[in-house]
Amino acid sequence: GLLGGALGGCAPEAAQQSTQQLTQQPTQESTQQPAAQNVKKLKLSASAPYGIYTANQNITFVLKADRPADGELTVEIVLKNSLNSETVKGEVTLHAGEDSATADLGKAALGHYEVKAEASCGETELKTRYVGVTHELSERSGTDERFSVDLASTWHANSRQRKQYAELIKLMGVSNVRERIRLGDIYDEATGKVSLSKYLPALQTLQEFGLDTIITFHDYPASLSAAQQKVMPADLLKTYRLVKAAADAVGDLVSAWEIWNEQDVIHFGNDYPDEYAAFLKAAAIALSDSQADPIKALGAFARDPYYSKFGVWMLENRVLDYVDVYNYHSYVFSGPSATPSADLAAIGKHME
């Protein structure tokens, strides 16, 4: 979670009554606990993964102290809706001897909320700075929307994180994710065998959550490349066999394959457009011959097709005859305003 803080100082010790006051009220006994004095650090976290709740869920937070409180401690919580400034308020109390408690703020309207908190004692660290409330999954249209998330969980997440990411993406309303594999990881240089055991658990998790997966790759086993500085392979028959074996191994866990990533920039391509075209054709034929016969996508452009003529020359090699999807990346850039803007000129050139 993102870190933030809302500071609170310990409440003064419960007011000390004078001897005269005690004498005047000898039979009165207070049931209120004295205020906590010993707690220095508090952590407040949303109970839902990554702070995403659906409309029928109560918004709950878990409060944890650095030690059992020696008295009563209260944290006030305010959620501010960024869409209309409406607020949801609640509080959570630690009693003497407790070091954790749960706050229940009830249900909230759909929206994106900023979290603020203030404690009567100690410094509160917000482990969750924002929460969101989304539609129930059962109330959604079920149509295939056009949004996708470049997740790369096969590289960067453990099994627990993958499940949380998948659940979060499902709640966001996204049904497609982009994953990445390194062909060098799945090919054993010594035996020539192909294994995707490193990647299958992540792909299986995504499928369990009903997510479609697009795979992209942008490296190749060194022994099959034409030269040390080259990326694309020289042996197209070996390319065919490797890609077909990979597609057969993942089967229906992958709905589409993106044949390379940003081949038009040197740090991903470093080849001439006709060399990429030859590689794409071999890979596309392999995918079509695989048991799954997945959707085949052109490797995504990083720039417009006229940049350095790479795209024009590549398309002159009739690569579009071998793929189902034309593919390009649209980047956003910071302009004079605080709001980033898309490179509409580049997008227009792709659409021509």
Side-chain angles (χ1 to χ4, degrees):
L2 299 174
L3 301 182
L7 303 181
C10 289
E13 254 183 84
Q16 306 244 343
Q17 294 178 323
S18 65
T19 304
Q20 181 180 8
Q21 289 174 317
L22 291 173
T23 304
Q24 290 173 347
Q25 301 175 356
T27 60
Q28 183 177 357
E29 295 182 0
S30 174
T31 58
Q32 183 178 2
Q33 292 186 8
Q37 298 295 310
N38 66 328
V39 174
K40 303 298 182 185
K41 297 283 186 180
L42 295 156
K43 293 183 179 181
L44 187 68
S45 306
S47 302
Y50 300 95
I52 303 296
Y53 299 84
T54 54
N56 74 337
Q57 291 180 307
N58 285 16
I59 297 179
T60 56
F61 286 84
V62 175
L63 178 69
K64 293 186 177 181
D66 59 354
R67 67 200 70 191
D70 61 357
E72 191 171 278
L73 180 154
T74 300
V75 176
E76 295 181 356
I77 305 169
V78 178
L79 309 181
K80 185 177 180 180
N81 192 324
S82 60
L83 299 177
N84 53 25
S85 298
E86 291 182 358
T87 58
V88 178
K89 298 180 179 181
E91 66 178 30
V92 57
T93 300
L94 282 182
H95 300 287
E98 295 178 344
D99 62 2
S100 65
T102 299
D104 189 337
L105 278 65
K107 297 178 176 61
L110 300 177
H112 177 266
Y113 295 84
E114 184 179 9
V115 181
K116 297 289 186 181
E118 185 171 355
S120 61
C121 181
E123 178 183 338
T124 306
E125 179 184 354
L126 296 178
K127 300 297 288 183
T128 306
R129 291 183 57 191
Y130 300 94
V131 298
V133 180
T134 68
H135 288 284
E136 290 299 312
L137 293 176
S138 60
E139 296 176 359
R140 299 177 185 178
S141 65
T143 57
D144 183 19
E145 82 301 312
R146 300 303 177 188
F147 293 102
S148 183
V149 173
D150 195 351
L151 190 57
S153 68
T154 52
W155 290 358
H156 303 305
N158 59 36
S159 59
R160 180 184 62 83
Q161 291 170 327
R162 289 181 197 129
K163 290 182 179 179
Q164 289 185 333
Y165 290 155
E167 183 179 3
L168 171 64
I169 289 168
K170 194 72 175 177
L171 288 172
M172 288 167 57
V174 173
S175 63
N176 297 284
V177 296
R178 185 176 188 248
E179 284 290 347
R180 300 162 183 257
I181 66 170
R182 296 183 178 95
L183 291 178
D185 286 345
I186 68 174
Y187 179 75
D188 188 317
E189 300 272 1
T191 65
K193 292 182 178 180
V194 175
S195 173
L196 276 86
S197 58
K198 177 178 179 178
Y199 295 101
L200 289 178
L203 300 177
Q204 289 164 348
T205 297
L206 295 171
Q207 188 180 68
E208 288 170 6
F209 280 85
L211 298 169
D212 288 330
T213 300
I214 303 165
I215 281 285
T216 186
F217 47 83
H218 42 77
D219 82 329
Y220 205 82
S223 65
L224 303 184
S225 294
Q228 184 65 36
Q229 74 273 18
K230 293 290 184 181
V231 177
M232 302 298 165
D235 191 326
L236 298 181
L237 179 58
K238 287 183 178 179
T239 295
Y240 170 90
R241 290 170 175 166
L242 174 56
V243 173
K244 183 178 182 299
D248 285 337
V250 299
D252 65 357
L253 294 176
V254 173
S255 59
W257 286 73
E258 186 179 341
I259 304 175
W260 216 258
N261 175 70
E262 298 189 348
Q263 62 278 353
D264 57 329
V265 291
I266 193 169
H267 49 282
F268 286 133
N270 199 27
D271 292 270
Y272 295 111
D274 59 317
E275 293 174 315
Y276 168 72
F279 165 76
L280 176 140
K281 292 174 184 180
I285 294 171
L287 293 170
S288 294
D289 288 349
S290 70
Q291 297 174 5
D293 189 15
I295 295 170
K296 299 171 290 296
L298 179 71
F301 282 99
R303 297 189 172 94
D304 75 68
Y306 301 103
Y307 183 86
S308 76
K309 297 294 184 180
F310 184 100
V312 174
W313 293 340
M314 182 189 73
L315 294 172
E316 286 178 352
N317 280 274
R318 302 180 66 86
V319 292
L320 296 184
D321 293 343
Y322 291 79
V323 296
D324 308 301
V325 177
Y326 183 89
N327 196 9
Y328 63 91
H329 289 162
S330 57
Y331 286 95
V332 296
F333 302 94
S334 57
S337 67
T339 304
S341 59
D343 187 356
L344 299 180
I347 294 175
K349 291 178 180 178
H350 282 291
M351 302 301 289
E352 289 176 353

